[in-house]
């Protein structure tokens, strides 16, 4: 059972109160983007075995979207943080690299 | 003027806890910046209750303000007062990014109360992914969650008494859920 703390209402929400929203921190391509960039934005997603950054919504709760950093293999949660950010905050990165010293946000963004 | 009725017109059931539809209730969705002075003052002056903290409900008589999300409150007043309160709240919010809407007829309200036979906490604990222990869910707390498959919000109005709000269209489903969960003989006895 996955439990994530909603950064808005502070509830330690069990999975059934949440709705998964896929990969976080995707850059939106729009008018002017070439075909390859637009295709990658629409269809290409990281599928890492290990640390992943995801979007979740506290759907049966305060209704807000937030971000979560967790491991897809161990289900360890490194932390959750508000949706109003383009990159993970320092404390989240520190919690990840404490366990996975080689991990970097830039490396994760490049993963496919 | 149409004759307003609540979703289940005061239906009740008695098991180890009682479940009662509370009847008509004025309910107003108030959206806006919780830190804005005009919104906070509207809650204290017009509704007449303290501004609620996160996941709490403040009450004064029949009036209440419940925290729904970082930009939403649920204001509860007597049913007949709702249009007037909406008008006054809307006037108070003028010029800011906010909204007050009368949602009274879109929702249903239930009371779940424990008896000597069993606890109301258990009725909810069977249905919602929420820690209902006395230490965790104390009086004045309020939260949104799900009850089986229905989105609901509930708050503790006493040690073993809860007020629960759901969509009107799901009122029968929610009443049936609560009644079944409270069925005599089905108590687990953990609270
Ligand atoms: Zn939340």
């Amino acid at each position: 059972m996955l439990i994530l703390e909603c950064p808005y209402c502070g509830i330690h929400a069990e999975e059934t109160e949440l709705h998964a929203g896929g990969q976080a921190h995707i850059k939106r391509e729009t008018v002017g983007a070439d075909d390859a960039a637009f295709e990658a934005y629409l269809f290409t997603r990281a599928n890492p075995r290990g640390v992943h950054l995801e979007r979740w919504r506290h759907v049966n709760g305060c209704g807000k979207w937030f971000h979560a950093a967790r491991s897809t293999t161990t289900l360890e949660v490194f932390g959750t943080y508000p949706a109003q950010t383009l990159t993970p905050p320092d404390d989240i990165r520190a919690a990840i690299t404490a366990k996975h010293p080689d991990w970097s946000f830039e490396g994760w963004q490049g993963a496919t | 003027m149409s004759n307003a009725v609540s979703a289940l017109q005061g239906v009740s059931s008695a098991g180890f806890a009682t479940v009662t539809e509370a009847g008509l209730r004025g309910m107003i969705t108030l959206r806006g910046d919780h830190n804005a002075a005009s919104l906070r003052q509207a809650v204290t002056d017009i509704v007449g209750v303290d501004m609620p903290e996160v996941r709490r409900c403040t009450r004064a008589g029949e009036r209440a303000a419940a925290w729904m999300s970082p930009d939403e409150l649920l204001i509860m007043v007597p049913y007949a007062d709702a249009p007037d309160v909406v008008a006054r709240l809307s006037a108070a919010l003028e010029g800011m990014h906010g909204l007050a809407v009368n949602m009274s007829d879109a929702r249903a309200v239930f009371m779940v109360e424990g008896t000597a036979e069993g606890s109301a906490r258990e009725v909810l604990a069977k249905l919602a992914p929420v820690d209902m222990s006395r230490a965790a869910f104390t009086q004045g707390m309020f939260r949104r969650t799900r009850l089986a498959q229905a989105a609901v919000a509930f708050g503790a109005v006493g040690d073993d008494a809860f007020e629960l709000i759901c969509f009107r269209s799901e009122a029968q489903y929610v009443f049936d859920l609560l009644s079944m969960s409270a069925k005599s003989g089905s108590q687990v006895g953990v609270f």
Side-chain angles (χ1 to χ4, degrees), chain A residues 6 9 58 62:
Chain A
C6 173
C9 63
H58 194 189
C62 69

Side-chain angles (χ1 to χ4, degrees), chain A residues 4-14 16-20 55-66, chain B residues 55 67-68 143-145:
Chain A
L4 299 175
E5 183 180 358
C6 173
Y8 300 103
C9 63
I11 285 172
H12 291 260
E14 178 252 288
T16 63
E17 263 192 22
L18 304 168
H19 180 77
R55 302 173 74 228
W56 286 84
R57 184 174 175 234
H58 194 189
V59 61
N60 283 310
C62 69
K64 299 299 179 192
W65 284 97
F66 61 93
Chain B
R55 295 199 332 263
W67 191 95
M68 297 289 273
R143 69 165 279 175
R144 293 163 78 182
T145 182

